[in-house]
Amino acid sequence: MIDDDTIAAANADGEAALRAEYDALGEVLDRRGIAIDGIRDRVAAYGVAIPSWGVGTGGTRFARFPGPGEPATIFDKLDDCGVVHRLTGATPRVSLHIPWDEADPSDLRAKAEKVGLGFDAMNSNTFQDQPGQGRSYKFGSLSHTDAGTRAQAVEHNLRCIEIGRQIGSRALTIWVGDGSNFPGQAHFTRQFDRYLDSAREIYAGLPEDWRLFTEHKMYEPAFYSTIVQDWGTNYLIAQELGERAFCLVDLGHHAPNVNIEMIVARLIRFGKLGGFHFNDSRYGDDDLDTGAIDPYRLFLVFNELVDAAGTPGFDPAHMLDQSHNVTDPIESLMNSAMEVQRAYAQALLVDRTALAGHQEANDAMMASETLKRAFRTDVSPILAMARLEAGAAIDPIAAYRRSGYRARVAETRPVASGAGGGIV
């Protein structure tokens, strides 16, 4: 972990400048009728979960280039996740992936408590085969033509629920790679019906206080047809399963020109927005750092979320889901958590009364400018002040580098192999 003295020393270098910048921004916002301390408090109360697998180096189909000090176990991962939260104060929960993170639940709880974390949604893995697995998922899992393979996939998801129940999770996220790679390979309707039947069995195994999130993805590894390929199919699944089934939106799982913020608005309207996997993309499911390519789109998503705040039952889960191929994963996760907070803070600055008036008057220019005024506001002092008052770092990346954490863990963790491609 990062000790308090390291953070205090790093903060001492920048605190005076931060307070001056915060006061100056406060005066600007005050002229708009916005109290800066109220925005700061809402940002401080906001948290985004981080994925356990996100602290490892990712890869493409062609190669993976691990860095020093790669986490070798789930307990190493929790240490790294604890560092992200300690420095940002923005990532209080971690999302596990089974079987990658298989461990005794009591040990997981103890480790998480030690590093100051709780647990978010569980994630099942039926998109790749594991050692000793009885049946292969090469041709599908929950939708497989073989009943025994489907049963194996259902049982895995039920086991994820049981592990999650023991560590304090309250949700299960399902993503499958099922689909087809050739025309005629699969009967679209029968395949979807098999998926729904399997999903119903999993849904029936949910504890009463749990939610089920299903995730859509336009392609890969099924390149001709993917069984849950878009938000419309995802919505149909949630409707079929029941009131505790919701749609999870991954920002990278859409075609480049899709209007994701409108999808978010539609799912909010019909009560089926379960949550997000935040990342960014250039071409497809790139899993780039959040806000790296299109921070305005991220802001527009949060504009819809802030607009819906207070709607009965509206409580979407927020999580990062990224692949870090050329950066230190801890730095990328910290940066992304701050970018999510930034978009949230900017969305809180939107003059909603003015925006509604411009919309009713069909004044496209002024409606657009109302949003851009909030987006153009540099809210960095608000984010940094929230961190300072929470005992985190004014500049998390600088404090992290100053701490020497990566070099220390590299001395004790085994060197990771870079052989082969694929995900973490």
Side-chain angles (χ1 to χ4, degrees), residues 26-79:
E27 292 178 6
V28 172
L29 296 181
D30 187 62
R31 290 193 289 271
R32 300 188 201 173
I34 299 172
I36 191 172
D37 289 350
I39 304 298
R40 177 204 60 203
D41 292 346
R42 293 178 72 174
V43 168
Y46 175 84
V48 61
I50 50 178
S52 61
W53 60 94
V55 290
T57 300
T60 68
R61 291 183 297 121
F62 303 101
R64 177 173 176 267
F65 301 97
E70 290 275 301
T73 69
I74 178 53
F75 302 105
D76 290 345
K77 294 177 186 178
L78 289 173
D79 277 331

Side-chain angles (χ1 to χ4, degrees), residues 394-415:
I394 292 174
D395 185 339
I397 293 177
Y400 170 72
R401 293 189 173 191
R402 180 171 182 161
S403 75
Y405 176 83
R406 179 61 68 189
R408 289 201 309 275
V409 296
E411 292 177 354
T412 59
R413 294 177 181 176
V415 177

Side-chain angles (χ1 to χ4, degrees), residues 235-419:
Y235 176 76
L236 292 174
I237 293 167
Q239 285 288 86
E240 286 287 316
L241 295 184
E243 63 180 11
R244 289 183 293 132
F246 298 88
C247 304
L248 187 144
V249 176
D250 184 306
L251 269 60
H253 285 189
H254 306 82
N257 294 325
V258 166
N259 189 327
I260 300 175
E261 56 269 26
M262 189 174 74
I263 293 172
V264 171
R266 293 286 189 270
L267 292 175
I268 291 172
R269 165 62 180 82
F270 291 98
K272 284 299 183 182
L273 179 66
F276 294 91
H277 280 177
F278 290 114
N279 50 51
D280 214 333
S281 66
R282 181 69 177 177
Y283 304 105
D285 187 24
D286 311 333
D287 276 345
L288 304 177
D289 288 13
T290 304
I293 303 297
D294 195 349
Y296 192 53
R297 182 174 67 181
L298 182 64
F299 161 77
L300 293 174
V301 167
F302 270 93
N303 178 59
E304 298 299 329
L305 296 177
V306 170
D307 185 69
T311 303
F314 181 67
D315 185 27
H318 293 185
M319 192 187 91
L320 302 175
D321 183 14
Q322 305 176 172
S323 180
H324 312 113
N325 301 339
V326 295
T327 60
D328 183 320
I330 290 177
E331 293 187 357
S332 277
L333 288 169
M334 290 193 297
N335 188 64
S336 294
M338 291 186 286
E339 287 304 305
V340 172
Q341 282 188 315
R342 181 185 307 278
Y344 176 50
Q346 290 168 325
L348 290 172
L349 300 182
V350 173
D351 186 335
R352 301 205 171 271
T353 300
L355 179 61
H358 298 318
Q359 290 169 337
E360 289 300 312
N362 296 308
D363 192 335
M365 179 60 69
M366 291 311 299
S368 176
E369 284 301 302
T370 299
L371 290 180
K372 285 185 177 179
R373 187 186 194 196
F375 175 71
R376 291 172 180 142
T377 304
D378 184 2
V379 296
S380 299
I382 296 175
L383 311 186
M385 186 61 73
R387 290 193 294 272
L388 176 65
E389 295 189 351
I394 292 174
D395 185 339
I397 293 177
Y400 170 72
R401 293 189 173 191
R402 180 171 182 161
S403 75
Y405 176 83
R406 179 61 68 189
R408 289 201 309 275
V409 296
E411 292 177 354
T412 59
R413 294 177 181 176
V415 177
S417 171

Side-chain angles (χ1 to χ4, degrees), residues 131-146:
Q133 184 176 306
R135 289 176 164 85
S136 174
Y137 296 132
K138 180 177 181 178
F139 295 108
S141 58
L142 296 178
S143 70
H144 202 288
T145 54
D146 175 63

